[in-house]
Amino acid sequence: MRPITLVFFLFVALLSACSDPGEPTPIIEVDQRIIFLEQVLNGQLSTPEGKLKSESFYYGPNTLQYRTDFYYDSQGRELLRVGIQDEDTTAVYLNEYLEDGKLDQTGMYSLGPAGFVFTHYFKRFYENNGQTINVLIGRDGNFSQHEQFKLDERGRKISYRRGTETAYDLHEYFYANDQSTQIIEEHYLQSGMTEPFYRYRYDYDEQDLLFAKSLQLLGPEYRPAFEYNYDEKGNLIEEITNDLYFGTLPTERKTFEYY
């Protein structure tokens, strides 16, 4: 009888603990950002003909590292970017837009053991009639500087900065004249520099497609640090990064596919 009695008292104790009105019921918080992401993923995703479908990154330059797939909304705006590595989804980027159509913020979500987890936002702020775009990174009210884009009065990009105002990589873009829309030179500087570390020359073909960004490195001649290839429709299908210190050797490669 003793084992049965012991089980009975354990049952009563457990029942009393479960029905104790003084013990608070745990509250399960629902992340509305995850609900929003799942609604988008389960909704209608557009794949407009001619839009970028995927970007693959190779190192070596032939070893695939990861792929990014692109999906769009009903207006043809980029809605989702999905990062894939070894055939597994690693991250999702979800774009949200302002009423005027400008990009507002991009939420980054990583895939954990129990599903997607919100990581952070890339939040955009527009100044000077949209000629300065500051991008902050963070979440829950805590943000820090991440990127800055600057455009001129004609909407041409004139600089891109990655980092803060004091610790950054800076790219400056130059045009032949006030009417030209083709970049002819790009200067790359790091924080503290007064002179560019690199000066890239932009080379175009007879169809005005950029086929190389070239440098004078370890010699007087220009050699391609980056090379670009296109399909018959003029879509970029390959970008090659070269090492110029030991000849002209490809080290990285990106390929692009379209819907």
Side-chain angles (χ1 to χ4, degrees):
M1 295 295 293
R2 291 182 61 188
I4 296 177
T5 304
L6 178 60
V7 170
F8 174 78
F9 279 113
L10 288 175
F11 173 76
V12 172
L14 179 61
L15 184 62
S16 299
C18 292
S19 61
D20 186 357
E23 184 174 335
T25 302
I27 299 175
I28 300 176
E29 294 186 5
V30 178
D31 192 334
Q32 295 298 321
R33 294 167 297 203
I34 300 299
I35 294 177
F36 178 49
L37 173 65
E38 291 176 347
Q39 289 174 342
V40 172
L41 291 174
N42 294 324
Q44 179 126 15
L45 299 176
S46 295
T47 56
E49 184 177 351
K51 286 283 190 177
L52 180 62
K53 177 182 179 181
S54 67
E55 173 185 319
S56 300
F57 174 74
Y58 299 82
Y59 185 76
N62 296 314
T63 303
L64 178 64
Q65 302 294 308
Y66 60 83
R67 186 181 85 241
T68 304
D69 291 341
F70 297 82
Y71 300 92
Y72 301 83
D73 64 14
S74 59
Q75 301 180 52
R77 302 175 301 190
E78 182 186 312
L79 182 61
L80 284 174
R81 277 177 286 151
V82 180
I84 299 172
Q85 189 172 32
D86 297 329
E87 300 304 319
D88 291 328
T89 298
T90 56
V92 173
Y93 298 83
L94 173 58
N95 288 336
E96 300 177 49
Y97 292 86
L98 299 170
E99 290 185 0
D100 61 6
K102 292 180 180 178
L103 180 60
D104 179 23
Q105 61 187 12
T106 302
M108 179 183 173
Y109 301 79
S110 60
L111 190 60
F116 286 105
V117 178
F118 174 75
T119 305
H120 55 256
Y121 282 121
F122 296 99
K123 178 71 175 175
R124 290 191 168 211
F125 295 90
Y126 298 85
E127 302 174 0
N128 191 24
N129 295 320
Q131 290 180 228
T132 300
I133 306 170
N134 289 303
V135 183
L136 305 185
I137 184 173
R139 56 177 292 166
D140 304 328
N142 298 313
F143 287 86
S144 59
Q145 290 180 321
H146 180 63
E147 295 174 313
Q148 183 187 79
F149 302 84
K150 285 195 174 182
L151 312 175
D152 65 11
E153 298 84 355
R154 299 191 60 200
R156 303 179 301 183
K157 66 178 181 179
I158 55 176
S159 71
Y160 165 72
R161 187 189 73 202
R162 178 75 175 266
T164 67
E165 293 182 357
T166 56
Y168 57 77
D169 292 323
L170 177 64
H171 299 258
E172 297 177 326
Y173 306 96
F174 300 89
Y175 300 81
N177 51 57
D178 290 339
Q179 286 71 44
S180 175
T181 58
Q182 280 190 348
I183 299 171
I184 61 169
E185 194 167 276
E186 174 186 340
H187 292 179
Y188 168 69
L189 304 90
Q190 294 178 335
S191 48
M193 290 183 174
T194 56
E195 289 295 323
F197 190 58
Y198 290 130
R199 286 183 170 90
Y200 295 100
R201 186 188 73 187
Y202 279 51
D203 300 319
Y204 298 88
D205 64 15
E206 62 278 0
Q207 296 179 318
D208 291 331
L209 296 173
L210 177 68
F211 69 85
K213 287 166 59 174
S214 301
L215 284 173
Q216 284 179 305
L217 190 66
L218 303 179
E221 76 279 3
Y222 278 91
R223 290 179 293 145
F226 299 92
E227 297 180 84
Y228 305 92
N229 295 307
Y230 302 82
D231 63 15
E232 65 279 358
K233 296 180 180 179
N235 294 317
L236 177 66
I237 58 173
E238 186 178 49
E239 175 187 308
I240 300 170
T241 302
N242 292 320
D243 182 347
L244 302 183
Y245 287 94
F246 302 97
T248 305
L249 303 175
T251 58
E252 297 176 359
R253 188 166 62 96
K254 292 180 182 178
T255 60
F256 306 89
E257 295 183 25
Y258 297 83
Y259 288 111

